[in-house]
Every structure is written in C-alpha cells, then in structure tokens.
Amino acid sequence: MSDISSTRTTDTIVHFSAPFALPDLVGEMHPAGDYKIEQDEEPIEGLSWLAYRRVATYIHLPSIAEGNRLSRIVRIEPMALADLLAAANATPDGLAS
C-alpha cells in the first residue's frame, strides 16, 4: 500500500462533441459537454529520477455545465476513456496519456 501523501492528482477537462455512454454504467447516456477528469498517480520507487505511474482515473458526472447538484465520481479505465474520446469526437484539454 502506498503512502497517500505521495500520491498526486492531475485534473483536466475534456470536451465531448457528442453524447456518450460509459462502459460500466449500462443504459445511461451522458450529453455532449465538458467533463472533469482526475488522474491519480504515485511515484515509482527505486529510480534515480522522479517518475509516476497512473493508479486511477475518474470522470465527474454530470458535465460541468450541469453543475454540482447530484454529482458523482466514476472510476474509468484509461483505455476506455481514450476510446470514448475518439468515438465521441472529443477534444482533451491537457489530458496526459
């Protein structure tokens, strides 16, 4: 188990140009719009330079335009997110791979 204080979180915003569905939320469609993405990373120990590995990726629902009322955070696999971004003609704003 890693030390929580050494974990870093990177926040980005992605824009979906078309509605999309998340793989683990069957039957739910999410409208086009801007969505906040969080990526948690932890340092890789034993290297002579500072490097991080991604340990979790989350998407905030609903979109930013819909506000924070009844919001939730859903974990998503990075490859599933990349596929959604490509399929929905989405544009990442600084999303790291």
Side-chain angles (χ1 to χ4, degrees):
M1 186 170 213
S2 66
D3 176 38
I4 193 75
S5 65
S6 64
T7 301
R8 73 178 185 182
T9 300
T10 304
D11 294 334
T12 57
I13 304 297
V14 296
H15 177 78
F16 287 91
S17 298
F20 65 97
L22 294 173
D24 293 337
L25 301 178
V26 178
E28 288 187 28
M29 286 299 293
H30 304 282
D34 295 330
Y35 289 81
K36 181 178 175 182
I37 304 295
E38 285 184 15
Q39 294 189 58
D40 291 343
E41 300 170 310
E42 65 184 12
I44 300 172
E45 296 181 20
L47 299 176
S48 59
W49 64 90
L50 185 58
Y52 288 86
R53 96 176 107 245
R54 182 177 36 226
V55 293
T57 302
Y58 303 94
I59 185 168
H60 289 242
L61 301 173
S63 70
I64 293 171
E66 292 182 43
N68 290 329
R69 205 180 89 177
L70 300 174
S71 66
R72 60 185 164 155
I73 302 171
V74 177
R75 190 171 184 159
I76 185 170
E77 290 299 319
M79 286 306 297
L81 176 61
D83 291 345
L84 283 173
L85 291 171
N89 191 25
T91 54
D93 179 20
L95 183 65
S97 15

